[in-house]
Amino acid sequence: MGKFKSIKLLIILAIFMVFVAACSSNEGASGDGDKKKDDKDIQVVFIPKMTGNAFFESGNDGAQEMAKKVGFKVKYDGAPEGTVANQVQIINSAVNSGADAIAISSVSSDGLNQALKKALDAGIKVVTWDSDVDPKFRSVYVNQGTPEILGEMLVEMAAEQMDNPDDAKKIAWFYSSPTVPDQNSWVEYANKYIKEKYPKWEIVTTQFGDANEQKSLQVGESILDSYPDVDAIICPDSTALPAMAQAAENKGLNAEDVIITGFASPNSMRQFIENGTIKNHGLWDVKDQGALAVYTAYWLAKGNDLKVGDSIDVPDMGSVKLEANSIQGYDYTADDSGIMVLPERIVFTKDNTNDYNF
Amino acid sequence: MLNKIPKWNLTLFILIISEIIVFGMINPRFWNVTILLNSFNDFISVAIIGFFVTMVVITGGIDISGVSIIGLTSVVTGLLSQVVGINIWVSILCAILIGGLCGLLNGVLIAYGRVQAMVITLGGMLLYSGIAIVLVGLSDVSTYEGISGFPEGFSQIANGEVMGIPNSVILFIVMFFIAYILLHRTRFGRYIYLTGINQNTAEYSGINTKKIIAATYFLSGLSAGIAGVVLTSYLGSARSDYGAEYLMPILTVVVLGGTLITGGKGGVIGTALASIILGFMQIGLQMAGVSTQYIGLATGVLLIVSVAFLGINPDFRFNVRRIFTQKQNIGG
């Protein structure tokens, strides 16, 4: 019985290999790249950290609108779980299915390197948005703001709610994790900015919620318990900020008792603004960010050269300049690798929160 | 010769061929051998664990803890080599052994403690992923970012190739042969079937069924350890959440492969074919333009259809037929 099975098995394998080999022919070298393509033949794969999250879905809305306006194709491809394995798989499939460019918000700063390297080797243009990868493995990072811009914005959003911001104040930081690259760079700069502009402020604690809703709520409550005299809690993380506001609301505190501000989408914060738990919070227009990311990807895929210092004209957004990687604090610099900073950011208050839906 | 091939495996084989033809017609790039062979990297972990979970299922048990052993071995590999500073190959060996130990713990509790396999491995799943998270926490590495900085040789395990054939394909074939020989060519394999068909009878005929059962869980743990190392090598960093989404695919390839969930019947050839079907389907659907978030739907349909084809007993089929004939009578 055993012998038969192994023979059979070999036959199956052999048939399979022959079949695959026969089907293959010379499909691989379809010679793209040297001639400029039509707009409608260009496909950009737009990859979020995860699907089903309002922030990324509205990034996709912006991307699709831009694609329709200019006439190229955008495929939105993500998995419900934002894991490295899923993103690697999606990048591979984009490469395999013959996409021209990808625009990705990475879940890890170095976990995608191998996959992105393969994509670049296959001639695919790589643009990152929202969350960057190692700059060696992408052409352009569409950045929501440099650490300087966003760090200062965080501090000023808290300061403008204080009667005397120059007095001694107790400040707490609360975001996702001590190694997440973007948030840490904002906070690092914000602390520098505080030292210069508000030297009497004191940072009493820095806490982390791991981007987990339940843990963030517990951490939020423990901040309020451990530091009852804290003046402001700044949460530059889209999970930490709603959790912090919820923790304050659970304890019956409102914006008069403790200042809570940070970065999160207006949809997740609207109820807290309306019931007076918080007064303001900020973010950038993620629709613009998605649109700029796919437009840049399309621009590169068309065969255009983009060098640091050049500008491109983006429909409805005007001219956007490619800055050097060093504005984000990277050591790696190259002519064809840079950062585009989103032209504007928004502070949401009671007056304008209803104008946005993301 | 053809009638010697079990019908179900033939069906699976035809499915693979038709997948290749259909997806190739939608997107001709699917007919590129390099792309097809490289896609093995995306389901190799599922396949490796599937081979040995097949054995567990044949004994009448089930093992769902493999998905968190992947994360645990990934973290152990990272910690030992990058934080403690042990040689990478020694770390890999230790990690795989730890995977085996986890499996052995499951197996001993199930075989000798006579506890439900589902309960133990569910507990194991939570326990091992918990240990992985604690280990990461103790080492001052963020769970979110993982441990990286592995040497180039390590990433060659999954990303390299020998004579144009990706290592993952070679590993797939090697692991398949190991599982095949163990299950179909050795006395141990025959005992596995006998234990699954009727444990008491097997016990009375002098087979140490407890040992056999414990051994299958040990092997399943080892295979999860290997899968964890391969996945770490493929993705280039060690994280505790690797494998978390593989539970359904693993069970799907085992059941779709023709192994009876009640035990006693099945084989690794089916599991191998089923994992290729599942892997090709994922990449094929993506290349056909379907968003990744909807592909779980296809996996679910495959699982249900295969269970419906294989799992329904003759009584049920007879009843269904009776319902239809009755209807016809009424209608006529």
Side-chain angles (χ1 to χ4, degrees), chain B residues 60-129:
Chain B
I62 191 153
D63 187 356
I64 57 174
S65 67
V67 290
S68 44
I69 295 179
I70 294 182
L72 180 60
T73 46
S74 174
V75 166
V76 168
T77 315
L79 281 183
L80 288 183
S81 68
Q82 300 307 116
V83 179
V84 182
I86 300 175
N87 178 289
I88 180 74
W89 306 105
V90 180
S91 320
I92 291 176
L93 208 65
C94 293
I96 294 176
L97 278 179
I98 286 178
L101 282 181
C102 293
L104 191 63
L105 178 69
N106 288 338
V108 168
L109 286 174
I110 292 164
Y112 295 92
R114 293 200 165 274
V115 194
Q116 282 267 324
M118 181 64 106
V119 179
I120 292 292
T121 54
L122 180 65
M125 182 166 94
L126 300 174
L127 175 67
Y128 306 142
S129 66

Side-chain angles (χ1 to χ4, degrees), chain A residues 1-13 15-17 19-21 23-25 27-30 32 49 51-52 57 75-86 88-90 92-93 95-99 106-114 118 176-181 210-211, chain B residues 1 4-6 9 13 16-17 20-21 27-33 35-42 140-145 148-149 152 155 159 169 173 176-177 180 184-185 193 231 233-237 239 241-242 245-246 266 269 273 276 280 282-283 285-293:
Chain A
M1 167 183 159
K3 259 182 195 164
F4 271 123
K5 283 209 171 162
S6 53
I7 291 169
K8 183 168 66 198
L9 176 77
L10 283 177
I11 291 173
I12 289 182
L13 266 178
I15 297 174
F16 177 59
M17 288 302 171
F19 191 87
V20 171
C23 289
S24 72
S25 61
E27 221 63 61
S30 50
D32 34 355
K49 275 186 185 167
T51 55
E57 298 295 323
K75 180 187 176 191
Y76 181 56
D77 201 359
E81 302 94 9
T83 63
V84 179
N86 281 337
V88 166
Q89 214 273 327
I90 289 166
N92 286 345
S93 97
V95 175
N96 293 340
S97 57
S106 155
V107 292
S108 156
S109 59
D110 54 14
L112 304 176
N113 292 356
Q114 291 280 352
K118 264 188 234 164
S176 67
S177 113
T179 58
V180 61
D210 286 342
Chain B
M1 193 67 213
K4 296 274 190 213
I5 301 175
N9 285 349
F13 186 63
I16 296 182
I17 303 287
I20 294 177
I21 294 172
N27 187 340
R29 294 178 68 104
F30 194 79
W31 286 340
N32 187 325
V33 199
I35 289 177
L36 273 190
L37 291 185
N38 275 319
S39 76
F40 271 67
N41 253 326
D42 290 317
D140 263 3
V141 183
S142 140
T143 38
Y144 191 69
E145 278 300 305
S148 57
E152 181 62 24
S155 70
N159 294 305
V169 177
I173 293 171
F176 168 70
F177 269 107
Y180 178 81
H184 298 284
R185 301 297 295 270
Y193 279 103
L231 205 58
S233 154
Y234 178 45
L235 300 174
S237 67
R239 290 161 58 113
D241 63 351
Y242 283 164
E245 68 272 15
Y246 285 162
I269 299 179
L273 292 172
I276 295 177
F280 281 5
Q282 168 145 10
I283 182 173
L285 286 175
Q286 280 176 331
M287 284 167 77
V290 178
S291 254
T292 308
Q293 53 178 329

Side-chain angles (χ1 to χ4, degrees), chain A residues 69 299 335 350:
Chain A
K69 209 178 299 160
W299 177 267
D335 266 357
K350 211 169 196 164

Side-chain angles (χ1 to χ4, degrees), chain B residues 48 69 96-101 103 175 217-227:
Chain B
I48 292 177
I69 295 179
I96 294 176
L97 278 179
I98 286 178
L101 282 181
M175 292 306 289
Y217 286 94
F218 173 65
L219 287 174
S220 159
L222 273 186
S223 71
I226 295 172

Side-chain angles (χ1 to χ4, degrees), chain B residues 272-311:
Chain B
L273 292 172
S275 51
I276 295 177
I277 290 182
L278 203 67
F280 281 5
M281 190 168 74
Q282 168 145 10
I283 182 173
L285 286 175
Q286 280 176 331
M287 284 167 77
V290 178
S291 254
T292 308
Q293 53 178 329
Y294 302 120
I295 287 174
L297 202 124
T299 316
V301 170
L302 260 190
L303 183 62
I304 291 174
V305 168
S306 52
V307 170
F309 261 106
L310 295 169

